[in-house]
Amino acid sequence: MKYGFIGCGNMGGALAKALAKATTDFAITDRSGKAIALAAEIPCGYLSSPEIAAQCERIFLGVKPHMMKDVLAPLQPILAQRKPLLITMAAGLTTQQIREFAGCDIPVLRIMPNTPVAVGKGVTQYCCNDLVTEEMLRDFLHDMRFSGLLDPLEERLMDAGSAISGSGPAYVYLLIEALADGALTCGIPRAKALEYAAATVIGAGEMVLATGQHPGALKDAVCSPGGSTISGIRALENHGFRAAAMEAVIATYNRNKELGK
Ligand SMILES: NC(=O)c1ccc[n+]([C@@H]2O[C@H](COP(=O)([O-])OP(=O)(O)OC[C@H]3O[C@@H](n4cnc5c(N)ncnc54)[C@H](OP(=O)(O)O)[C@@H]3O)[C@@H](O)[C@H]2O)c1
């Protein structure tokens, strides 16, 4: 079998959905059996962790960082024998740490995805150790082509990448919720307010990417002198909006660093 997922919760499940658009030659597993329903929905196989280690050529590791060592320890003999490609998505854990947890010299691809991969709009940074061949990487990128943006990043920057795009959807959901609550206060029904807020976030993001313009310039184009939008900007500035967003990324980055210790 081509791929396996050990741990298939929020992030692993989103990646499995993205992968399934290219191939369903994979199986998933979890601890509780909740992923059995997901396997039926995708559809893909459901195996145990030792079966995945024994049968799959490439193995996504979708467990929490603090569990990684214990999950890989019992699989060490079979990993040493087969040397499948390990694809870790764990925040803060380096390729070297994964290699140590696997107990052998083994190819390790480290990815930092985000949950919008499930709808083809994700951001995934990646880096790998020296045992990952160009062909393995090319094939992986091809199989993940329906996940969204895939971008190489030096390993030393992965924790920072994780802080902006891995965790970023959570910040943006908060923004969408807050914008919609503001509109609700002004009388817009909740469903419409949420739709307008979410579509506006998508539109603004697309404008940044499509025009290549600095977001400050795009902001200026929305603000007329003495107009209402600049009054809204002033309110955001008064409440430390930009500083809060910067601090969110930096706090996440610092926490990612702690997770790897
Ligand atoms: N969530 C995100 O947006 C995001 C973004 C980037 C990276 N990540 C990374 O993705 C990884 C998973 O995070 P998550 O948010 O997806 O966590 P999650 O929803 O809690 O999923 C963790 C998965 O691991 C399974 N698991 C736990 N112990 C296991 C074991 N001994 N054997 C097999 N499976 C086991 C869980 O199964 P049960 O449910 O049955 O316990 C569950 O399927 C983390 O390393 C995190 O750093 C997450």
Side-chain angles (χ1 to χ4, degrees), residues 1-154:
M1 191 171 281
K2 192 164 185 184
Y3 289 96
F5 285 77
I6 297 180
C8 208
N10 291 314
M11 196 61 252
L15 284 165
K17 285 179 188 162
L19 180 64
K21 291 174 192 159
T23 175
T24 50
D25 185 14
F26 67 89
I28 64 178
T29 196
D30 63 354
R31 190 173 37 177
S32 61
K34 274 186 286 185
I36 293 173
L38 177 64
E41 178 195 327
I42 284 179
C44 66
Y46 184 90
L47 297 170
S48 67
S49 294
E51 284 170 334
I52 284 180
Q55 295 177 31
C56 298
E57 294 164 34
R58 291 119 195 251
I59 302 173
F60 285 90
L61 302 171
V63 301
K64 294 283 186 194
H66 70 275
M67 293 176 171
M68 191 67 80
K69 190 176 183 186
D70 290 346
V71 166
L72 290 179
L75 306 176
Q76 282 187 0
I78 188 77
L79 293 177
Q81 192 193 323
R82 298 191 61 242
K83 308 272 178 82
L85 171 66
L86 299 182
I87 306 162
T88 172
M89 64 194 78
L93 295 185
T94 63
T95 51
Q96 180 57 28
Q97 283 170 301
I98 297 295
R99 193 166 168 162
E100 283 161 18
F101 295 162
C104 60
D105 283 340
I106 192 163
V108 181
L109 177 57
R110 178 177 175 189
I111 61 172
M112 183 39 64
N114 63 12
T115 48
V117 296
V119 293
K121 295 282 182 187
V123 176
T124 303
Q125 293 106 9
Y126 63 88
C127 63
C128 46
N129 72 3
D130 52 1
L131 296 173
V132 177
T133 64
E134 274 184 29
E135 199 207 328
M136 277 179 199
L137 185 58
R138 206 178 318 118
D139 195 51
F140 170 78
L141 295 175
H142 182 70
D143 285 342
M144 293 307 296
R145 66 193 179 280
F146 298 116
S147 68
L149 175 68
L150 292 152
D151 197 55
L153 190 66
E154 283 177 62

Side-chain angles (χ1 to χ4, degrees), residues 110 112 125-127 152-165 253 256-257:
R110 178 177 175 189
M112 183 39 64
Q125 293 106 9
Y126 63 88
C127 63
L153 190 66
E154 283 177 62
E155 181 148 31
R156 67 181 180 85
L157 294 176
M158 288 295 274
D159 288 333
S162 163
I164 178 156
S165 55
Y253 172 73
N256 284 338
K257 288 273 176 220

